[in-house]
Amino acid sequence: MADKILTGIPVATGIAIGKAFFVNRNHRARLPRQTVTLDLVSNEVHLLQDAFHSVEAELSATREHVPAELKDYRLLIDTHILMLKDPKLAGAAEEYIKSLGLNAAWALEKAVSDQEAAFRAINDPYIRERMQDVRVVADKVLAKIIGEETDLGAMEGRAIIMAHDLTPADTVELQVNKIMGFATVCGGKTSHTGIMARSLAIPALVGVNKLEDNVHDGDLVVLDGLSGKIVVNPTETELAEYNERAAYFEEYTRKIKRHCHLPAETIDGSRVQVLANIELVEEVASVLDNGGEGVGLYRTEYAYLNRTDLPGEEELAEKYIDLASIMSPKKVVFRTLDLGADKFISSYGELGETNPAMGLRAIRFCLKNPQLFKTQLRAILRASAHGKVSLMFPMISGVKEVRQAKAWLAQAKAELRREGVEYDPDMPVGIMIELPAAVMIAEYLAYEVDFFSIGTNDLIQYSIGVDRTNHHVSYLYQPLHPATLRTIKLVVDAAHQAGIEVSLCGEVASDPFCVPILLGMGIDSLSLTPQAIPGIKRIIRQTNMHDCRKLLKEVLECRTVGRINDLVMDNIFKHFPDEVTFFSSLLENDEAPS
Amino acid sequence: MTVDTQTPGSFPEDIESRQVVVANDHGLHARPAGKLAQQAQAFEAEILLVYGEQSVDAKSILDVLTLAAGPGEVIEIRASGDDAAEAADALETLFRNKFDE
């Protein structure tokens, strides 16, 4: 048996086998807390000062290498350098060594705790968040003091990067060509680690429990981004198995990629559009490489995160125009700002809501902040003159909300028209169906808009009442729950009844087990993570609508998830054995853990 | 966050004092706080920012941040020492120029 098998949330697929290399370890857990005798006090003071100075020198050196276009990182580093020089951190720690005889590490931790107490008392959530920066800086100093700092130069050959957390700023320091995979303790499905890994096409896991206790630098690890496992120091047999599995997966990926540019058409001639979900313009290459027929969901939030100010119209328009024109004549669907819940803009900060998932987020947030909303609408409209652009509003709960959002859009159009700025007056406008309320009035909503896009991630959570990141109940998050399938069908039927198209852009769209059922419902397009496009196109090209409709009819008659899983599994086994090998994790969530 | 050695009102005669308004949209957040501390560190003078009941060291970005002074708030700059006047002028200009935002 391997030393340990850890589990995490897979955010980028693939299997990497290599040596572990730790960056950003959480040193606080193993902090030495000792007092020193009077004669050793000056040693500890020197140790502390040296650590502060060398971190400052390193940050200054890093700052010089930050490319000009990443000026936000430069400002972040400047702030960190200022914190290093701050008398309230270095000075206070030194004072604790001198007055209480604490060792340098403990003294620093105490100075940081003092700051934490001061920041906790602040009402302004944005400023309270800045404590994170103090922590980042202090952790670097702490690593120096206890002699466990990361020396990126010590990374021999290629390695699998392990970390407590990875921030966008870390990206600047990492040599991406040497990285085979990522695993972090923190982070969720949409964290920066996942985006980075997917754009590098390497496997990654986030939310790995006890990673720091169980993996050491140089350990041989298998990072399985398919099943979400990390195997630490595998046995010869395990290693051979994973090597075979990795090779098999690579071969499978190569094989399906060869055909990814062919149209997504079933054997009996039904055409489905396969589009991509992206959040960075840079991901366009991966959309095109993987045979994406357009962008079905451009998550516009990223431009608002990790910064202290708001992006202006010019900045947004430049980015949006780039995206629309690179993708042209393929379409790009812009989703207006979807913030709140787990993502916040620093300038607004957390809203201090007890239940943010049901609070002021997405379209609700935008309608409350019309200036910010209009800035974005104007930028999207400007991009519509440069390509095939559509727009959709997230988290719609009623007809009035759609009308309000459309009224702001009309106002933005009128302004642009007056200013003589070009835009597409017929730009299609759609909404995301993510709330059970929207499902139940889908027939009314359909008359207000040009298309629907079903966001299954939230729709499933709200329908079943389950937070899929809560490990106590995440087993209840079931895309193949009879209620989920009926819900999706209701929406598809309502849209088609009204003569509008319906797309699906949640994770269900990239799940080979669900796709035949969705085809059976008559879904018009699927939007998924770019890397999953070749696999889904392959499924579509090897199936026929007759079988899909038959399967749908059978599953809609099932009363339990278990029965649906069996039917779906039979279907996949019969037609797509490779997919069973690589994508079976979904079907493991059937029962509550005992 | 109160500086123990000097409470408001117990300043020597040679202090330079300026009243300023936080004019930037988001208050004294990280970027302005950083600029303020950086600028303050360039002077020998001891510089305090007095805001309501609190008075903090202008050379400490952490202190300035913990003031959490929002837009429109009035702050007093108090500098004492050799280059106190220059220091107070420089910081006053920063506030006036909205920290170049």
Side-chain angles (χ1 to χ4, degrees):
Chain A
M1 271 288 280
D3 286 359
K4 282 275 187 293
I5 296 180
L6 311 172
T7 54
I9 306 164
V11 286
T13 54
I15 296 171
I17 301 171
K19 295 251 169 89
F21 188 85
F22 251 102
V23 300
N24 298 351
R25 211 180 247 286
N26 179 6
H27 299 286
R28 270 165 280 145
R30 285 167 293 114
L31 182 77
R33 288 170 198 264
Q34 289 142 2
T35 48
V36 292
T37 49
L38 204 56
D39 54 323
L40 289 174
V41 161
S42 67
N43 280 357
E44 290 300 306
V45 170
H46 282 304
L47 185 61
L48 181 85
Q49 287 172 343
D50 288 349
F52 268 95
H53 288 149
S54 65
V55 173
E56 189 187 326
E58 279 174 17
L59 282 183
S60 303
T62 306
R63 188 190 185 286
E64 294 314 305
H65 292 111
V66 176
E69 62 270 24
L70 296 177
K71 71 172 194 310
D72 275 357
Y73 293 154
R74 228 181 244 186
L75 289 168
L76 186 69
I77 294 173
D78 285 341
T79 305
H80 287 181
I81 292 175
L82 269 173
M83 287 176 175
L84 281 170
K85 290 180 174 165
D86 200 305
K88 286 287 145 45
L89 205 59
E94 192 174 322
E95 199 45 46
Y96 278 128
I97 300 177
K98 288 177 181 164
S99 62
L100 301 177
L102 307 185
N103 66 5
W106 190 6
L108 173 64
E109 181 56 22
K110 208 159 156 48
V112 175
S113 302
D114 293 346
Q115 286 305 317
E116 242 160 10
F119 274 78
R120 254 201 310 273
I122 296 171
N123 280 331
D124 183 327
Y126 162 71
I127 298 205
R128 217 167 42 224
E129 257 178 53
R130 300 282 63 75
M131 189 58 215
Q132 304 271 15
D133 293 315
V134 182
R135 266 289 168 210
V136 167
V137 171
D139 280 350
K140 282 185 198 284
V141 179
L142 193 57
K144 287 270 179 224
I145 294 173
I146 58 184
E148 284 188 16
E149 81 271 27
T150 305
D151 175 8
L152 289 171
M155 200 169 113
E156 287 170 21
R158 300 179 70 211
I160 299 176
I161 299 288
M162 310 264 157
H164 187 69
D165 198 6
L166 286 172
T167 65
D170 294 321
T171 326
V172 181
E173 294 180 54
L174 295 170
Q175 297 159 275
V176 288
N177 57 336
K178 283 185 163 185
I179 301 167
M180 301 165 74
F182 290 119
T184 61
V185 178
C186 301
K189 283 242 178 215
T190 53
S191 64
H192 180 74
T193 309
I195 299 168
M196 201 152 65
R198 288 193 295 271
S199 65
L200 294 171
I202 55 173
L205 299 186
V206 297
V208 185
N209 273 327
K210 305 202 168 144
L211 181 69
E212 292 162 303
D213 297 337
N214 292 307
V215 184
H216 304 96
D217 279 337
D219 277 348
L220 181 65
V221 293
V222 175
L223 180 84
D224 184 350
L226 296 163
S227 67
K229 288 195 180 81
I230 293 179
V231 185
V232 187
N233 294 323
T235 61
E236 286 295 322
T237 328
E238 285 167 326
L239 197 58
E241 273 171 26
Y242 271 105
N243 267 317
E244 197 182 328
R245 198 167 144 81
Y248 189 25
F249 182 72
E250 261 175 47
E251 174 53 31
Y252 164 78
T253 328
R254 248 199 313 275
K255 191 169 74 187
I256 59 172
K257 216 169 162 177
R258 271 202 296 272
H259 304 292
C260 75
H261 293 283
L262 297 172
E265 191 174 289
T266 60
I267 296 168
D268 47 354
S270 274
R271 193 73 174 77
V272 184
Q273 267 204 311
V274 181
L275 309 161
N277 297 341
I278 64 167
E279 38 204 313
L280 300 173
V281 177
E282 291 76 9
E283 289 176 273
V284 163
S286 148
V287 177
L288 298 172
D289 279 357
N290 285 295
E293 297 170 71
V295 172
L297 167 63
Y298 174 50
R299 300 187 176 100
T300 55
E301 297 76 67
Y302 203 78
Y304 293 77
L305 303 171
N306 296 311
R307 59 190 289 165
T308 53
D309 57 347
L310 288 171
E313 183 182 323
E314 282 311 312
E315 182 185 338
L316 292 176
E318 193 183 325
K319 206 170 277 181
Y320 296 172
I321 289 170
D322 269 357
L323 177 59
S325 39
I326 301 170
M327 286 307 294
S328 178
K330 295 183 165 74
K331 78 165 169 185
V332 180
V333 183
F334 285 77
R335 178 178 71 186
T336 57
L337 201 50
D338 187 5
L339 287 168
D342 55 349
K343 284 176 274 178
F344 302 97
I345 316 182
S346 298
S347 336
Y348 287 80
E350 282 182 56
L351 300 164
E353 299 172 311
T354 49
N355 196 347
M358 297 194 184
L360 189 64
R361 50 175 292 202
I363 194 67
R364 304 164 180 185
F365 180 84
C366 287
L367 292 175
K368 269 259 162 41
N369 296 283
Q371 206 46 52
L372 166 144
F373 189 37
K374 219 163 66 182
T375 301
Q376 186 182 33
L377 292 177
R378 283 175 57 105
I380 296 173
L381 280 166
R382 285 170 61 180
S384 72
H386 299 263
K388 200 173 165 194
V389 168
S390 311
L391 166 158
M392 62 185 178
F393 303 118
M395 193 86 185
I396 289 292
S397 66
V399 170
K400 191 176 165 196
E401 242 168 6
V402 185
R403 292 182 182 162
Q404 282 176 328
K406 280 169 67 182
W408 285 113
L409 182 67
Q411 204 181 96
K413 280 182 178 177
E415 285 176 9
L416 292 177
R417 202 166 41 239
R418 275 198 300 276
E419 295 161 23
V421 180
E422 271 188 55
Y423 65 91
D424 171 11
D426 302 317
M427 176 181 71
V429 175
I431 54 167
M432 297 225 18
I433 305 284
E434 302 172 276
L435 297 172
V439 175
M440 299 318 291
I441 56 162
E443 55 182 297
Y444 303 138
L445 291 170
Y447 288 102
E448 305 285 330
V449 293
D450 302 313
F451 65 94
F452 281 168
S453 184
I454 309 175
T456 48
N457 299 1
D458 274 333
L459 185 56
I460 297 171
Q461 296 202 101
Y462 291 121
S463 303
I464 307 180
V466 60
D467 171 2
R468 66 188 175 137
T469 61
N470 175 335
H471 70 275
H472 296 295
V473 293
S474 58
Y475 69 93
L476 288 171
Y477 181 88
Q478 290 155 330
L480 291 175
H481 190 294
T484 311
L485 297 178
R486 285 170 183 226
T487 299
I488 298 173
K489 179 143 192 317
L490 270 175
V491 180
V492 176
D493 290 349
H496 288 168
Q497 195 84 43
I500 65 169
E501 290 204 344
V502 57
S503 163
L504 191 142
C505 63
E507 268 161 41
V508 169
S510 41
D511 196 311
F513 294 85
C514 298
V515 167
I517 299 175
L518 299 174
L519 296 184
M521 291 183 190
I523 204 102
D524 299 293
S525 59
L526 297 167
S527 193
L528 38 140
T529 170
Q531 287 72 24
I533 292 174
I536 294 305
K537 273 191 153 181
R538 175 181 132 97
I539 301 262
I540 296 170
R541 288 181 56 78
Q542 295 190 15
T543 191
N544 67 63
M545 285 303 269
H546 174 76
D547 286 347
C548 292
R549 288 198 195 98
K550 188 164 160 273
L551 177 67
L552 173 70
K553 189 168 179 296
E554 285 171 357
V555 298
L556 285 176
E557 283 164 6
C558 294
R559 296 179 184 199
T560 64
V561 184
R563 179 74 191 120
I564 297 177
N565 282 347
D566 290 345
L567 280 174
V568 168
M569 201 65 165
D570 283 350
N571 177 60
I572 293 281
F573 257 125
K574 204 156 95 193
H575 303 291
F576 311 100
D578 283 346
E579 278 68 16
V580 178
T581 315
F582 296 120
F583 301 99
S584 53
S585 58
L586 188 85
L587 297 178
E588 287 166 11
N589 300 336
D590 197 5
E591 299 296 331
S594 50
Chain B
M1 264 315 114
T2 307
V3 176
D4 299 329
T5 49
Q6 281 167 314
T7 49
S10 69
F11 269 70
E13 286 302 305
D14 61 343
I15 60 158
E16 289 286 338
S17 167
R18 307 273 193 282
Q19 297 271 344
V20 287
V21 177
V22 182
N24 44 323
D25 291 345
H26 303 299
L28 276 185
H29 60 81
R31 213 170 287 179
K35 280 189 178 157
L36 182 66
Q38 202 162 21
Q39 181 75 268
Q41 283 169 13
F43 296 96
E44 289 293 318
E46 193 169 321
I47 314 165
L48 298 186
L49 298 182
V50 184
Y51 171 53
E53 301 273 289
Q54 299 168 278
S55 75
V56 300
D57 181 357
K59 295 181 183 180
S60 160
I61 182 176
L62 296 171
D63 263 12
V64 178
L65 274 175
T66 48
L67 275 185
E73 300 292 348
V74 177
I75 286 181
E76 186 190 346
I77 302 168
R78 282 186 195 172
S80 61
D82 285 348
D83 49 6
E86 293 95 310
D89 286 345
L91 299 194
E92 187 182 9
T93 312
L94 267 185
F95 275 93
R96 276 187 198 286
N97 295 344
K98 298 189 184 182
F99 299 89
D100 301 326
E101 290 202 320

